[in-house]
Amino acid sequence: MEINLKYLDPTYNLRALPANSYYRQMCAQLTQYAVHGLFAGFTGFSIGLINGRTVMLPLSEITRELRKISKSSRPWQRLLASTGQPSFLNDENHYAGLEH
């Protein structure tokens, strides 16, 4: 019996909706900061927004400890709703397990 198995990496599903103008501008700004950091000779960093400011974050600080978020938590459900992704939780799990 022949089986055709495909693995779809879930990280490719993060952008489920077309980017709006704000998101495009933010991505362009983050890209410019990343290039500036590389031209300055920095390595091992990521660019992010903290309190509305663009910053260079050392990868060692980002990966210092394992952080997890519950699939039934409100922040995760808000993220899914804002990107238009399905939650994959049935109604019983969705409403009974919501964390505040």
Side-chain angles (χ1 to χ4, degrees), residues 30 46-58 61-62:
L30 293 176
S46 181
I47 300 296
L49 293 175
I50 297 180
N51 295 330
R53 300 187 73 153
T54 306
V55 296
M56 291 183 194
L57 302 164
E61 287 297 311
I62 296 171

Side-chain angles (χ1 to χ4, degrees), residues 41-100:
F42 294 116
T43 60
F45 71 95
S46 181
I47 300 296
L49 293 175
I50 297 180
N51 295 330
R53 300 187 73 153
T54 306
V55 296
M56 291 183 194
L57 302 164
L59 292 180
S60 60
E61 287 297 311
I62 296 171
T63 60
R64 181 176 44 167
E65 61 186 54
L66 182 63
R67 298 176 189 156
K68 294 183 179 181
I69 186 167
S70 170
K71 291 186 292 185
S72 61
S73 69
R74 287 187 190 270
W76 181 252
Q77 293 302 316
R78 286 184 186 128
L79 173 83
L80 294 178
S82 69
T83 58
Q85 298 179 72
S87 72
F88 298 112
L89 294 175
N90 62 28
D91 288 337
E92 179 182 313
N93 290 339
H94 180 71
Y95 296 113
L98 279 179
E99 299 171 359
H100 299 282

